[in-house]
Amino acid sequence: MSVIIAAFADERWGDLAEAVESVSAQSYPAQETIVVIDHNAQLLSRARAELPGATVLENAFARGASGARNTGVAASASEVVAFLDDDASADPQWLEHLMGPFRDARVIGVGGRLAPAWSSRRPGWFAPEFDWVVGASYRGMPERLEPIRNVWSNNMAIRRDVFDAIGGFRLGFGKTGARSRPEDTDLCLRASRVRGGTCWAYQPAALAHHKVPAARERFGFFVRRCFAEGQGKAELAALLGRGSAMSSERTYTRTVLPKGVVAGLGETMRGDPMGLARSGVIVLGLGAATAGLVSERVVRRFARLPRPAAPHAPYPTGGPAGADGSPTQPTASGA
């Protein structure tokens, strides 16, 4: 297994070094660790000088996490590739647990659990059903190894031949700086169509800790992120159709969120005054995501926005293409 870590921000240097160190300490050693710097010459120079245990590359595509990850996979040499974010650190048994489900030939990819690493302490109003807002697994996800529709790219692994067959992550669709779109959900849905009878698996034992900076612990960020998630789902539905893009989100809305509201009210009755706030936040978060979804559909309908290019094999022999190249079950909503 090769591990790919994409990075773009100088201020995350300490986090990046910690992520690389966590990979080097695995009980199941990675064949290689590949760090891809997303168009940041200063960070690229520092990474090459100070991360001697990793192969450090520059993103060969246009700016964005999708191109950076495709660049890393193109340079990898193993049958399975794993992805870890530059602001996450993996438990020592992470790769061991992530690799286990691949013993089943029907499994094309595996995702692990992400625990939020709060900068101070968890805000009392923050409902755990919305932990996806800060890039972490949320309450309502499976608690043991199970099939799942999609996983998150900050803790996932996929068979290399499947990744190649679908052309990797879709360029022009995904995370670019602070802009977030569900490129990992898009990848998972396309990968599931490659071969019949295959599935993704969620293995909560494959644990990584995703850091939550203080700015993301604020109420304003919560609302903006929920709105952006709705926008991203609308964009995904425009690419793949509403059926596959939104099926699991409907289940999440109809089952996980109502249980969360009831749980918050129950906690209030048992003496936790923030339980009511958490119930209210669930309703507000759903409203913000719905507003983002509707607004993006309206914009796309009247502005006739172009669709991102369909992926193709983005890295022929010799390396990645140029910058203009385009290369069932519960869900991790917000992926």
Side-chain angles (χ1 to χ4, degrees):
M1 185 180 286
S2 300
V3 178
I4 316 296
I5 303 175
F8 73 97
D10 294 288
E11 58 269 22
R12 287 188 183 179
W13 169 256
D15 296 339
L16 173 60
E18 186 176 338
V20 172
E21 183 179 356
S22 74
V23 175
S24 68
Q26 291 297 301
S27 60
Y28 181 98
Q31 179 173 333
E32 57 190 347
T33 301
I34 301 174
V35 175
V36 185
I37 305 301
D38 189 13
H39 298 279
N40 183 331
Q42 179 175 321
L43 183 60
L44 177 68
S45 177
R46 184 175 187 182
R48 284 177 171 167
E50 300 184 34
L51 298 176
T55 299
V56 179
L57 305 173
E58 183 176 11
N59 181 5
F61 299 94
R63 185 181 303 275
S66 293
R69 294 189 183 113
N70 285 358
T71 298
V73 176
S76 68
S78 58
E79 296 179 357
V80 177
V81 289
F83 301 95
L84 183 71
D85 269 10
D86 62 338
D87 57 352
S89 61
D91 271 10
Q93 288 79 39
W94 174 60
L95 283 183
E96 183 178 343
H97 290 300
L98 207 59
M99 194 65 165
F102 285 107
R103 289 193 291 265
D104 186 337
R106 296 171 297 178
V107 173
I108 56 175
V110 181
R113 182 164 66 94
L114 287 146
W118 303 95
S119 64
S120 52
R121 63 177 183 175
R122 183 188 188 94
W125 54 265
F126 206 113
E129 290 78 9
F130 274 84
D131 277 3
W132 56 262
V133 167
V134 292
S137 302
Y138 58 87
R139 184 161 68 183
M141 292 186 68
E143 297 181 359
R144 60 180 183 273
L145 177 64
E146 288 187 16
I148 196 167
R149 187 196 69 174
N150 66 274
V151 300
W152 297 340
S153 55
N154 51 353
N155 182 357
M156 70 173 285
I158 183 173
R159 296 186 189 274
R160 172 67 187 272
D161 61 339
V162 174
F163 189 93
D164 290 351
I166 62 173
F169 288 97
R170 189 188 301 265
L171 300 182
F173 185 78
K175 295 177 179 64
T176 305
R179 178 67 184 270
S180 181
R181 285 169 290 194
E183 82 286 348
D184 33 23
T185 306
D186 172 65
L187 177 98
C188 292
L189 292 174
R190 289 186 289 111
S192 296
R193 299 173 180 175
V194 172
R195 303 189 189 113
T198 59
C199 69
W200 286 83
Y202 178 66
Q203 173 54 285
L207 176 63
H209 303 267
H210 192 226
K211 295 184 179 179
V212 183
R216 297 187 180 185
E217 297 175 356
R218 298 169 184 163
F219 186 73
F221 174 83
F222 175 85
V223 175
R224 292 192 300 273
R225 181 65 183 86
C226 290
F227 186 86
E229 181 66 16
Q231 290 179 303
K233 292 300 185 194
E235 293 183 80
L236 183 65
L239 291 173
L240 302 179
R242 293 186 185 181
S244 58
M246 299 298 297
S247 59
S248 295
E249 283 69 20
R250 296 188 186 98
T251 302
Y252 168 78
T253 301
R254 294 169 182 170
T255 60
V256 174
L257 296 188
K259 289 180 180 178
V261 171
V262 172
L265 296 176
E267 290 158 357
T268 300
M269 295 179 66
R270 291 191 293 273
D272 181 359
M274 295 305 293
L276 182 61
R278 288 189 290 273
S279 294
V281 161
I282 290 175
V283 176
L284 178 62
L286 176 60
T290 302
L293 179 76
V294 172
S295 67
E296 184 64 24
R297 284 178 177 173
V298 171
V299 168
R300 299 192 70 84
R301 179 176 180 180
F302 291 100
R304 297 185 179 181
L305 298 176
R307 292 160 56 97
H312 58 76
Y315 29 76
T317 301
D324 59 345
S326 304
T328 265
Q329 296 98 326
T331 179
S333 176

